[in-house]
Amino acid sequence: MTEKLVVIGNGMAAGRVLDNVFETAPDRYAVTVFGAEPRVNYNRILLSPVLSGEKAFEDIVTHDDAWYAANGVNLRKGVNVVAVDRAAKTVTDSTGAVTKYDKLLVATGSNPFIIPIPGVNLPGVVTYRDLDDVNAMLAAAEKGGHAVVIGGGLLGLEAAAGLAVRGMKVSVVHLMPTLMERQLDAAAGYLLQGAMEARNVDVITKANTKAIFEQDGRAAGVLLDDGRTLPADLVVMAVGIRPNASLGKDAGLAVNRGIIVDDEMRTSDADVFAVGECVEHRGQCYGLVAPLFEMAKVIAARLTDDPAPRYEGSFLSTKLKVTGVDLFSAGDFADGPDRDEIVLRDAARGVYKRLVLKDNTLIGAVMYGDTADGSYFFELVKSGEDVSDIRDTLIFGRTFAGGASADPNAAVAGLPASAEICGCNGVCKGTIIDAIGAKGLTDINGVRAHTKASASCGSCTGLVEQILAMTLGDGFQKAKVEPMCGCTDLGHDDVRRLIVAKELKSIPQVMQELEWKTSCGCAKCRPALNYYLLCDWPQEYTDDSQSRFINERVHANIQKDGTYSVVPRMWGGMTSPSELRAIADVADKFAIPAVKVTGGQRIDLLGVKKEDLPAVWADLNNAGMVSGHAYAKGLRTVKTCVGTDWCRFGTQDSTGLGIKIEKFMWGSWTPAKVKMAVSGCPRNCAEATCKDVGVICVESGYEISFAGAAGLHVRQTEFLCKVATEDECMETIAALTQLYREQGRYLERMYKWSVRVGIESIRAAVVDDAAKRRMLYARFVLSQKTAQIDPWAERVAGKEAYEFAPIRQLDLAEAAE
Amino acid sequence: MTMHMNDWIDVGAVDDVPVRGSRIVRAPEGDIAIFKAADGEVFALRDKCPHKGGPLSQGIVHGRSVTCPLHNWIIDLETGEAMGADHGCSNVVALKVQDGRIFMDARRLAAAFA
């Protein structure tokens, strides 16, 4: 006699159980399935592609009407079971009908968790669970407007990305500091946030939703507990799920968070099984598909009298289904004292991989950007095999562990034409391929010019190059970046970007992470790296004096005979009898052979012996003078004229302003030297129009110009802007200098930098965008906090004393044979 | 016979030379630069670039070479030879390290200034 199997729920878990049962015992059960949704079974995890429009509902159906018919399954679409009578072994459904069972499978899934705040029941608030939710979102998206997604987990982000593709202005509100914090570590969460933002999704973290407010009877926006409000035509609640165990509870089954099952997937009633998100097994509830399938296998075995398989819990892995965002995590990836980690970062490609090891086994993996080896790592996590032998190359994945090698272009080749390649400019793969064909493009610059792809942040350059290679075959020659030096293939800009993106904070770390070809660099790269690190991590980086050119290491200028020249600061070119007297005394005392007035309005003492430097500085310090940084890739001089103090043409206090600027900016390190000048009137006696930064005072304010030169090249400055007050003048100059500090390549003078990045882009950041200017200014001010220490005084006090004394002085007797 | 007990002159402690840096031994004939590479190994060269006599001790030490501060010639610390396309040699002085002290070969000192 055929046994009666009743299945409550028609989701993925139920479908998989039936697949497995019919495979081994097709005729054993007469099956009735109750599905709350008015449709056949479909792959719920592919709802996101339906939302984004990449798939239609038909594409994600797993069991169609024909399947139910062929297997003799009585599918009750849109019918809920309202009661279970375990004594009578019957279920009562929402139509009042009673159905008898021999075996019962509860697969009621989960419910979206609704945070209990005012307004959650308003029209316009949806959850993200089934096709009806997707349809509701699609209907809302058609009208456009704002959507707020509450919850920055897997579902919330998929919903957000889909709604953004559908043209809504989307914000994600997330309680925690980083996205998907349960599946990702902070670094990957940060990369993910950038990727979401590149998809025009605003991400607001550490944000607690207080209420959903209404207008005209509908949800109109979200109120955060810090008082911020976000407009919303649609609110998607995606903060998590809860096992739907109420029916099981009503039926008198043992229920905790979910319906409690044993390793055989039986509930407290031996004839009642439960599967999927509604169950709790060994204290664990699952919300992902893999455990469901493992459970389904065990139940099917029980239902077909195979006693062997048991369910012992699942390792979890997560993938985010947002086109162009590759993200994978598996296992346990928390830090711990007994754990090691292996991290690979490639900031240019947006790749982050982190493996967590414990006792020589892999226990967790987080991957972002390149997840090709996700399944490989996941298998290693599950198997718990000893990875000591492959540990050295483990992070590089299966290829290096001896498996099949992957075609580097395969990933891009597999993307649909609609896949977005350049997030900054919203350029998709098809557009790039079309442009390559139509315009006959052969290199990355051509693609940039015609499509704007890779023209902004450049992080998609690798992808665009793969598309070029794929489209042109051998006709594509990869653009060559001028490497920083022979120690690396990376150019200055790449190195710099990677220092920031990977948070590299020491020279050895940069060399390690960026795969330097030499053990400790060379005289070209080391000073550049030292500068980049100093500029990018002003509060944290410790200056490496051995990576400084000699002049900056000993704070004086080496001369052809190995002696040094010493130039004390004269603020704004002003000096005094006592300073001059001190300089004269120093020159006499140390028999300094030459004293010269420089072009920067100060005095140079030439021919000082290295051993004498600290003593010379001590005397100059005592007279109130500090290092003039005449040797520095940094602020040199601020030349001035006498301005309104003395000059009958002067319009402003040019001397005073020059001194103010110099006192504010001295000590700052820059990619190359920076010379400034302030002239009190357009007659320009301070020659401000051939300086790196020049100010010309006029009656109504201050004209700031920059990017001049009067050396190897002679260039007049470019007009930057005119400001009314000294304060604005200082803010603008500091912001300009900071932008140059952040963008300039080491040894690249300001005028060369300005040509490379474009005067307009500089003006846009420093003049047009007040917020950006203030940020630059703030960063400059922060950096100055640790920069304004007189290096001479430090050395007078004994710092690096070994620099200035021989290790040993041999007498004639010792040295003679 | 030499005038002192030992042919090896103690010029100082290895620790007194900065890593990737150098110190000078001032001899009557001129300066000897003692270099310490990143791996801690020490070398000694006449402190005079074969190009225009620049003080090599003031250069940046990288790998087993030093870049002259005056015109960026790169000198091999082991041989004293200019590297790359440049030609010239700065004489090497033999060293040995014992108990953390650096000893310079006195017999070869004069030859370095030849």
Side-chain angles (χ1 to χ4, degrees):
Chain A
M1 197 190 132
T2 320
E3 293 169 76
K4 290 186 173 61
L5 171 64
V6 167
V7 182
I8 307 173
N10 191 30
M12 300 183 71
R16 184 53 73 99
V17 170
L18 293 178
D19 284 339
N20 291 342
V21 168
F22 293 145
E23 207 171 285
T24 18
D27 300 318
R28 174 150 177 185
Y29 292 99
V31 180
T32 303
V33 175
F34 292 90
E37 290 184 63
R39 56 183 70 89
V40 292
N41 200 349
Y42 60 92
N43 186 344
R44 201 175 295 274
I45 63 175
L46 291 180
L47 281 172
S48 293
V50 173
L51 177 61
S52 66
E54 288 160 76
K55 286 190 188 323
F57 176 67
E58 295 70 42
D59 299 330
I60 67 167
V61 167
T62 53
H63 301 77
D64 57 13
D65 287 312
W67 180 87
Y68 291 98
N71 289 290
V73 176
N74 178 14
L75 171 62
R76 310 290 306 279
K77 292 182 195 172
V79 177
N80 286 307
V81 168
V82 294
V84 177
D85 183 341
R86 291 193 290 123
K89 288 197 162 186
T90 59
V91 299
T92 306
D93 65 43
S94 49
T95 68
V98 175
T99 307
K100 184 138 182 51
Y101 70 80
D102 296 304
K103 294 277 189 285
L104 179 65
L105 174 62
V106 182
T108 44
S110 61
N111 290 322
F113 181 66
I114 311 284
I115 44 176
I117 50 170
V120 288
N121 295 317
L122 289 168
V125 180
V126 301
T127 56
Y128 186 18
R129 191 64 203 145
D130 59 26
L131 186 68
D132 295 330
D133 296 328
V134 171
N135 287 334
M137 283 192 251
L138 289 177
E142 233 163 65
K143 294 183 212 132
H146 293 85
V148 171
V149 177
I150 303 174
L154 195 64
L155 275 180
L157 294 179
E158 292 188 5
L163 289 169
V165 169
R166 294 289 185 174
M168 293 194 86
K169 289 191 172 59
V170 186
S171 305
V172 171
V173 174
H174 190 52
L175 188 59
M176 304 304 287
T178 59
L179 296 174
M180 288 183 71
E181 75 287 346
R182 286 174 57 203
Q183 291 87 12
L184 299 179
D185 57 15
Y190 167 77
L191 286 170
L192 176 60
Q193 180 167 344
M196 295 306 292
E197 284 164 353
R199 280 165 175 72
N200 289 321
V201 173
D202 256 353
V203 176
I204 305 168
T205 56
K206 292 189 262 187
N208 195 9
T209 308
K210 197 175 173 190
I212 298 167
F213 55 88
E214 69 157 295
Q215 196 177 342
D216 306 327
R218 284 187 57 83
V222 166
L223 171 68
L224 304 181
D225 68 358
D226 62 7
R228 274 183 289 179
T229 61
L230 306 167
D233 303 288
L234 173 71
V235 177
V236 181
M237 183 78 67
V239 293
I241 54 170
R242 292 291 176 273
N244 180 11
S246 57
L247 187 69
K249 195 171 187 179
D250 293 345
L253 298 172
V255 169
N256 188 24
R257 271 191 303 158
I259 300 169
I260 293 172
V261 294
D262 59 16
D263 287 1
E264 297 193 299
M265 299 307 296
R266 277 186 221 270
T267 64
S268 52
D269 179 332
D271 287 323
V272 180
F273 293 87
V275 68
E277 294 176 343
C278 65
V279 310
E280 179 175 327
H281 172 262
R282 297 188 185 180
Q284 200 76 35
C285 296
Y286 295 98
L288 295 166
V289 75
L292 274 54
F293 290 171
E294 290 169 21
M295 293 175 190
K297 237 182 247 170
V298 175
I299 294 177
R302 261 334 77 78
L303 288 172
T304 55
D305 300 330
D306 173 0
R310 297 173 72 81
Y311 179 70
E312 295 176 325
S314 294
F315 287 102
L316 294 182
S317 73
T318 305
K319 263 193 159 185
L320 185 72
K321 290 163 298 298
V322 171
T323 300
V325 181
D326 288 326
L327 180 159
F328 176 90
S329 79
D332 177 356
F333 43 81
D335 288 325
D338 55 343
R339 295 161 178 207
D340 295 335
E341 56 176 13
I342 304 174
V343 177
L344 174 84
R345 299 181 198 240
D346 180 344
R349 290 197 305 138
V351 171
Y352 170 78
K353 299 183 187 183
R354 176 160 162 260
L355 303 179
V356 180
L357 292 95
K358 187 180 172 183
D359 303 330
N360 294 320
T361 62
L362 185 63
I363 61 165
V366 182
M367 308 168 76
Y368 185 92
D370 173 5
T371 55
D373 284 308
S375 55
Y376 170 66
F377 291 133
F378 189 39
E379 286 308 314
L380 287 177
V381 170
K382 285 201 284 188
S383 72
E385 81 183 56
D386 190 308
V387 295
S388 324
D389 292 346
I390 52 172
R391 183 175 169 144
D392 285 351
T393 57
L394 187 61
I395 192 96
F396 302 115
R398 190 192 299 275
T399 312
F400 280 85
S405 129
D407 174 359
N409 289 336
V412 169
L415 291 176
S418 60
E420 189 177 76
I421 299 296
C422 173
C424 298
N425 296 300
V427 187
C428 64
K429 180 181 158 188
T431 311
I432 296 171
I433 293 176
D434 292 347
I436 293 170
K439 311 279 182 195
L441 308 180
T442 56
D443 62 13
I444 187 90
N445 288 328
V447 174
R448 280 178 187 151
H450 287 279
T451 69
K452 294 274 179 285
S454 146
S456 295
C457 81
S459 63
C460 63
T461 302
L463 290 175
V464 175
E465 284 177 344
Q466 285 186 36
I467 293 172
L468 276 160
M470 201 178 77
T471 313
L472 298 172
D474 293 341
F476 171 62
Q477 296 291 317
K478 200 169 161 174
K480 282 204 175 61
V481 177
E482 180 78 18
M484 213 163 132
C485 63
C487 303
T488 177
D489 292 329
L490 296 170
H492 282 268
D493 300 341
D494 283 332
V495 169
R496 194 119 198 232
R497 193 163 58 215
L498 290 166
I499 284 174
V500 176
K502 295 182 166 204
E503 299 190 9
L504 306 178
K505 295 185 181 176
S506 73
I507 289 176
Q509 200 186 1
V510 171
M511 291 179 176
Q512 171 66 28
E513 292 288 324
L514 306 187
E515 295 161 21
W516 239 241
K517 296 184 223 166
T518 51
S519 65
C520 68
C522 71
K524 275 187 187 161
C525 60
R526 283 234 308 274
L529 294 179
N530 191 57
Y531 166 70
Y532 293 152
L533 291 164
L534 198 62
C535 178
D536 292 334
W537 312 111
Q539 307 290 303
E540 297 165 67
Y541 178 67
T542 311
D543 202 321
D544 177 29
S545 64
Q546 297 304 340
S547 294
R548 290 274 191 185
F549 180 64
I550 184 64
N551 290 357
E552 293 185 349
R553 194 182 333 140
V554 301
H555 296 274
N557 293 57
I558 195 166
Q559 302 299 317
K560 61 183 266 189
D561 61 353
T563 63
Y564 290 82
S565 86
V566 168
V567 183
R569 235 173 236 294
M570 285 181 177
W571 308 101
M574 294 296 286
T575 185
S576 66
S578 64
E579 283 185 355
L580 292 172
R581 210 168 275 126
I583 289 171
D585 287 345
V586 163
D588 278 345
K589 180 172 167 186
F590 296 93
I592 293 169
V595 181
K596 167 137 192 7
V597 174
T598 73
Q601 301 186 332
R602 43 200 197 172
I603 289 174
D604 193 355
L605 299 161
L606 290 136
V608 183
K609 291 189 211 62
K610 196 179 181 191
E611 300 93 291
D612 290 341
L613 287 172
V616 166
W617 296 334
D619 285 1
L620 294 171
N621 276 167
N622 285 339
M625 285 178 275
V626 297
S627 168
H629 290 87
Y631 46 82
K633 313 295 176 215
L635 181 77
R636 297 270 177 101
T637 60
V638 182
K639 191 172 175 178
T640 68
C641 68
V642 292
T644 43
D645 277 352
W646 297 96
C647 179
R648 63 205 163 100
F649 299 115
T651 63
Q652 308 278 358
D653 178 14
S654 52
T655 321
L657 177 58
I659 292 170
K660 252 190 209 170
I661 293 172
E662 191 169 352
K663 294 221 162 174
F664 174 45
M665 301 189 72
W666 75 273
S668 60
W669 299 103
T670 44
K673 63 184 167 188
V674 172
K675 298 177 171 180
M676 301 190 181
V678 183
S679 283
C681 80
R683 287 167 191 77
N684 192 15
C685 295
E687 296 159 346
T689 48
C690 62
K691 296 290 184 282
D692 294 285
V693 181
V695 178
I696 307 259
C697 301
V698 291
E699 288 293 346
S700 55
Y702 306 86
E703 290 174 0
I704 304 171
S705 66
F706 74 113
L712 203 55
H713 298 95
V714 180
R715 257 179 71 102
Q716 190 175 339
T717 49
E718 302 275 348
F719 178 72
L720 181 68
C721 63
K722 185 178 161 187
V723 296
T725 65
E726 284 192 348
D727 285 349
E728 290 169 88
C729 188
M730 303 269 282
E731 180 180 281
T732 305
I733 291 174
L736 170 70
T737 305
Q738 182 65 17
L739 190 67
Y740 167 57
R741 297 180 77 226
E742 293 174 8
Q743 293 183 345
R745 296 171 184 164
Y746 190 65
L747 300 185
E748 181 179 54
R749 287 289 296 273
M750 200 181 262
Y751 69 96
K752 290 192 174 167
W753 161 69
S754 72
V755 169
R756 177 168 63 82
V757 303
I759 303 280
E760 279 315 310
S761 82
I762 296 169
R763 201 173 283 141
V766 174
V767 181
D768 303 340
D769 187 338
K772 199 170 254 181
R773 177 175 64 243
R774 279 192 291 272
M775 296 283 283
L776 286 164
Y777 175 80
R779 289 204 289 277
F780 183 81
V781 169
L782 181 75
S783 159
Q784 284 298 82
K785 281 185 183 163
T786 45
Q788 290 195 322
I789 299 162
D790 176 31
W792 290 357
E794 282 185 302
R795 279 149 189 81
V796 169
K799 185 176 180 182
E800 292 172 6
Y802 57 81
E803 274 291 349
F804 306 99
I807 191 170
R808 181 78 205 273
Q809 190 116 27
L810 300 182
D811 56 39
L812 267 172
E814 277 178 305
E817 250 183 285
Chain B
M1 233 357 241
T2 54
M3 291 174 68
H4 40 61
M5 302 297 291
N6 204 319
D7 293 336
W8 292 95
I9 306 169
D10 182 343
V11 294
V14 175
D15 285 349
D16 290 339
V17 185
V19 175
R20 295 176 302 150
S22 77
R23 297 292 299 274
I24 290 167
V25 174
R26 185 140 289 169
E29 300 94 331
D31 289 351
I32 301 290
I34 311 280
F35 296 95
K36 184 148 94 184
D39 61 6
E41 188 153 348
V42 287
F43 304 89
L45 294 182
R46 184 180 179 190
D47 192 20
K48 194 171 180 196
C49 181
H51 177 218
K52 298 216 168 178
L56 296 174
S57 57
Q58 312 298 292
I60 289 179
V61 177
H62 47 97
R64 303 207 156 198
S65 51
V66 61
T67 295
C68 176
L70 292 195
H71 307 96
N72 296 325
W73 275 37
I74 300 174
I75 308 299
D76 187 324
L77 295 178
E78 288 177 280
T79 63
E81 297 278 355
M83 299 169 77
D86 301 321
H87 291 288
C89 185
S90 182
N91 293 334
V92 175
V93 180
L95 285 182
K96 70 174 183 183
V97 173
Q98 216 171 337
D99 301 329
R101 306 288 303 179
I102 303 167
F103 295 88
M104 217 161 63
D105 187 345
R107 293 164 305 182
R108 305 257 298 273
L109 197 54
F113 295 99

